[in-house]
Amino acid sequence: MTDVALDLLPEQKACEKRAIIASQRCVRIVSFAFIVQVLLSYPLWFPNTRTYPNIPVFDFLTLEYADWLTNGLSILLLISLIMASMTALWRQPMLNMGLLSLVLLILEDVYRFQPWVYVYGMLLLNIAWCRWRDRPELQLAGLQFIVSMVYFWTGIHKLNVQFVSDTYPWLVGVRDRDDE
């Protein structure tokens, strides 16, 4: 029996190595995509050019003249995601710092809690959790579960009368013959 157990060790090491490489790729992909989304919605994260008010989650979080704090947290979020995707040594602390700054930014302004933000937040939380528990083999399964649940919910959401009668014909370009 010990011979069989010794024969499995190289396979297990190879499997662990593949899981770690996949984990590093996932961190890079999710971080890059989240950074791109933040930069595409620049006025939401950097309030210098913002024309709509902040709505904090709690009233005591209303910070007058604290644009520098919001800018600092936004920059910290971006830098921590960049560092998490580049260095393996600082990956866990940078992911934690990025998630903390994301939570603080969302608490400061509820507009930031958009669907893409909480999907990316859940993806990053899954990555950070699996790294903290030292289980990189579970990370990919967790990411797949989160993405599949997003698709599942969007499918369930479309099971209503308005989607079938109004939205779907509009999407495919079907028009009433009476209009012509």
Side-chain angles (χ1 to χ4, degrees):
M1 272 211 179
T2 57
D3 294 334
V4 173
L6 291 175
D7 289 339
L8 293 177
L9 283 176
E11 291 176 10
Q12 288 175 342
K13 287 182 181 180
C15 184
E16 279 185 26
K17 188 174 182 180
R18 282 194 301 271
I20 290 170
I21 291 171
S23 170
Q24 292 170 350
R25 288 181 182 158
C26 290
V27 170
R28 288 184 181 125
I29 291 169
V30 172
S31 295
F32 177 75
F34 190 57
I35 290 168
V36 168
Q37 286 287 106
V38 168
L39 293 177
L40 285 173
S41 59
Y42 178 82
L44 183 63
W45 302 93
F46 297 93
N48 300 335
T49 60
R50 198 166 160 165
T51 58
Y52 50 91
N54 281 353
I55 300 178
V57 175
F58 303 108
D59 288 335
F60 64 87
L61 290 174
T62 304
L63 302 173
E64 294 293 323
Y65 308 109
D67 288 347
W68 61 272
L69 181 63
T70 304
N71 287 338
L73 285 172
S74 298
I75 290 169
L76 181 65
L77 172 67
L78 294 176
I79 288 174
S80 64
L81 290 176
I82 290 169
M83 292 296 292
S85 65
M86 293 176 63
T87 62
L89 178 65
W90 292 95
R91 186 161 290 142
Q92 186 65 39
M94 290 296 122
L95 284 172
N96 294 343
M97 193 178 308
L99 286 169
L100 178 65
S101 61
L102 179 64
V103 167
L104 291 174
L105 285 165
I106 290 171
L107 287 175
E108 185 204 8
D109 188 10
V110 76
Y111 283 131
R112 293 186 182 111
F113 197 57
Q114 298 181 9
W116 63 270
V117 173
Y118 64 77
V119 168
Y120 281 119
M122 292 304 295
L123 293 173
L124 289 171
L125 185 63
N126 175 58
I127 291 169
W129 178 262
C130 289
R131 288 192 56 79
W132 178 66
R133 301 293 294 172
D134 198 24
R135 301 288 306 265
E137 68 276 2
L138 294 179
Q139 179 179 320
L140 190 58
L143 295 175
Q144 290 171 340
F145 178 76
I146 292 168
V147 171
S148 65
M149 286 298 105
V150 168
Y151 277 97
F152 175 76
W153 176 248
T154 58
I156 293 294
H157 184 67
K158 289 172 179 62
L159 293 176
N160 62 50
V161 174
Q162 182 183 3
F163 182 82
V164 173
S165 63
D166 295 334
T167 309
Y168 182 74
W170 176 80
L171 282 174
V172 296
V174 176
R175 296 190 181 104
D176 291 334
R177 296 292 178 198
D178 297 336
D179 293 341
E180 294 177 1

